[in-house]
Amino acid sequence: MQEFIYYNKDGIDFPLPETIFVTQSLSNIPQNEYIVSNTKGTQAELVADEIDFYIKNSQDSFASKIKNVEKLYEVNAIRFDNAKDITFTQDVSNAVLLVSDDEQKKQVLKSMVPDEFNLFHVNENIIKDINGHIGNLTIVVDDDGEDVELRVDQIIWFDEKELGLKQSGCFDPLKSSIDDVLATVRQNITNYQYRKFTTYDKTICQYHERREEICSKCEEVCPTVAIVKDDSKKHLEFSQVDCHGCGGCVSVCPSGAIDYAPTSRDSIFEMAELYEDTHPLIVPQKMNISNLDIEIKENVLPFAIDGEKFLDESTLLTIAQIAGSQLVFYTDFISKGSGDAIRIVNDIYQSKYGKDAILVAMNEEELKIALEEVSFIEDSHFNFNQDGLKKREVFSHRVQRIVGEDDLGEVKTGEHVHYGLVKVNEDKCTLCLVCVGACNVDALQADASDNTLRLNPSLCTSCGYCEVSCPESDCLTIERDVIKLTPSWFKENILAQDELFACVECGKEFATKKSIDKIATMMGPIFAVDPVKERSLYCCADCKPKIMMQNYYDQKKEGIVNAR
């Protein structure tokens, strides 16, 4: 069964593979469950505008176009198959709060059908707080000095303030029109659906259940209340109904705990494998390319994405290395996290190849220039099976391939994307391994075979939790915001090492020598009056109570301890 459909009333100049149903009419289309189409109106799951853009503007030969058009369909099929953006439905009643002055209220009432809404009206100066989401909103208002709660499902707010901007279900007529907002409110009552835009792995989250707040970047950049912190439990709470799907949280998450549900890192990897030996042109959905009339040279192939904010240094490097080429990124906006990621990858490529990996074009003129400049980068192609690997692990493997055995200096990271180098004063480290327990990205490891504390710097997020957890003063520090492009950066480096101490009673090794020396130094003067207690400092957990009890009975037998 054909899952792809191509419609053009004027037909197409070259044949398409049999996997694609081609038609010049929207009537009498076979009722297949089409997954990908080049245009709206064909009842397909995904519409890929980039297909017609490529056909119209590409300078590729007909033979290449045939293969590449099929690739674009397959890329979107991968996107569809791997998407985790489940659709939910929210019940929305006709209870609506109108926030306006009296004149604006009259205008709204004039545009409404009588009694179509259960309408409440307040002036914005009495609003104190808003909680909840569309379909379940609680507004706290000041009623002559007393807090009163209003429960509504949607809000119409003229010149809405920050409280409204952060909430789902709040609409400002001044941004469009009264009629447009009323139409939206009516449609929401009939059918309100929302998508799951993010997935979350709490096991590698740099905020989750930590004693101190180390990271909350995702909550800081979230423009709504889709991500909030519960500081009492150190938990992140996600409200998918409030999420706009901007992806900003994904690009600033240091560990990769948050991923973009519609197009995950694994999905991008699988899609990128179809871009080998091409010049990928990354185009966010917001950039309308349908009517763009611009010549694109041979081997340029559009890579359509939902939005630019969810691209991080790992995904960008994945696409570039698989393609073996520079990327062209056509966008009129670069988020903070993506901006840092682009600069980091470009700095790495400049160190090795003397070229940027990513050419950013923020308008049509810049796009023309970038499409002329984009080129393959010799010896930059690299791929491996990265399924199941975390964000940092993928980036580490890919940068290691670039560095090889060279010393390429160092790259500074930035305000929103952090890497770092843990340093340990070995003289003060007792190998208590608290730092290892504090690290949830496996940058710090303990090796029992040689009693060492080890660090893989390339995995470190520079979160600092190991630093605040270390019980020793001036023992562990972090050199922040640096990636050293040397072979040792990608290997486990020994930070500290010690010998094991054997119990003076049974001979079992049970602790490091430094830890025993530390305890003996602290407690030795206190126990010096009692040789048995002093000896217990050098005993394992099994022998310590034994010698203490034996000493008690010996003293009792000699009459030193009175029987009770």
Side-chain angles (χ1 to χ4, degrees), residues 425-434 469-475 498-499 501 510-527 537-538:
N425 183 337
E426 191 169 7
D427 292 337
K428 295 189 175 183
C429 177
T430 62
L431 266 71
C432 68
L433 304 184
V434 168
S469 299
C470 179
E472 307 299 332
S473 61
D474 302 322
C475 177
D498 197 6
E499 297 178 15
F501 184 86
F510 70 98
T512 63
K513 286 188 174 181
K514 287 180 182 176
S515 63
I516 295 300
D517 288 343
K518 178 183 177 182
I519 294 172
T521 299
M522 293 169 56
M523 303 303 297
I526 300 173
F527 287 177
L537 296 173
Y538 303 93

Side-chain angles (χ1 to χ4, degrees), residues 121 309 334 374:
H121 175 252
K309 289 185 179 180
I334 297 289
V374 67

Side-chain angles (χ1 to χ4, degrees), residues 226-458:
I227 306 176
V228 295
K229 299 182 298 181
D230 181 346
D231 286 330
S232 63
K233 297 179 181 178
K234 289 293 190 296
H235 284 187
L236 293 176
E237 296 178 354
F238 293 82
S239 172
Q240 298 292 344
V241 70
D242 289 303
C243 182
H244 292 172
C246 70
C249 56
V250 179
S251 63
V252 299
C253 179
S255 64
I258 301 177
D259 204 354
Y260 191 63
T263 315
S264 67
R265 292 183 195 92
D266 288 341
S267 181
I268 288 179
F269 165 61
E270 195 173 335
M271 292 158 63
E273 292 193 301
L274 293 174
Y275 285 79
E276 186 174 345
D277 296 326
T278 71
H279 305 305
L281 167 58
I282 299 175
V283 185
Q285 193 175 59
K286 65 180 179 179
M287 304 300 291
N288 185 5
I289 59 173
S290 300
N291 299 319
L292 197 60
D293 188 10
I294 186 169
E295 185 176 297
I296 53 178
K297 67 182 182 183
E298 291 181 352
N299 298 314
V300 171
L301 193 60
F303 195 128
I305 58 175
D306 284 7
E308 60 83 26
K309 289 185 179 180
F310 69 88
L311 293 178
D312 55 40
E313 66 275 17
S314 174
T315 50
L316 288 167
L317 186 54
T318 293
I319 300 169
Q321 284 192 324
I322 292 177
S325 167
Q326 294 174 301
L327 313 178
V328 176
F329 195 174
Y330 181 45
T331 179
D332 59 4
F333 175 78
I334 297 289
S335 69
K336 296 174 180 178
S338 295
D340 275 0
I342 289 169
R343 184 187 57 76
I344 289 167
V345 175
N346 278 347
D347 285 352
I348 292 170
Y349 262 56
Q350 284 287 350
S351 298
K352 178 70 173 184
Y353 307 111
K355 293 183 177 181
D356 284 341
I358 302 135
L359 307 177
V360 177
M362 303 193 75
N363 54 52
E364 188 173 339
E365 192 58 38
E366 290 182 4
L367 178 60
K368 290 179 181 178
I369 296 170
L371 288 172
E372 281 299 315
E373 290 182 358
V374 67
S375 64
F376 293 108
I377 298 179
E378 187 177 353
D379 197 36
S380 68
H381 170 73
F382 174 61
N383 198 14
F384 68 99
N385 183 6
Q386 63 186 53
D387 287 341
L389 294 182
K390 301 182 183 75
K391 167 186 172 180
R392 291 281 169 140
E393 293 169 334
V394 171
F395 192 65
S396 171
H397 279 292
R398 293 196 171 280
V399 178
Q400 184 177 17
R401 166 62 170 75
I402 294 171
V403 173
E405 296 302 317
D406 297 333
D407 183 347
L408 302 177
E410 65 180 39
V411 167
K412 294 294 183 182
T413 55
E415 180 184 356
H416 306 283
V417 178
H418 299 286
Y419 286 77
L421 179 63
V422 175
K423 298 180 178 180
V424 168
N425 183 337
E426 191 169 7
D427 292 337
K428 295 189 175 183
C429 177
T430 62
L431 266 71
C432 68
L433 304 184
V434 168
C435 58
V436 175
C439 181
N440 61 3
V441 293
D442 298 329
L444 286 165
Q445 295 279 351
D447 190 336
S449 66
D450 58 0
N451 307 313
T452 54
L453 169 65
R454 294 169 176 261
L455 168 74
N456 182 336
S458 66

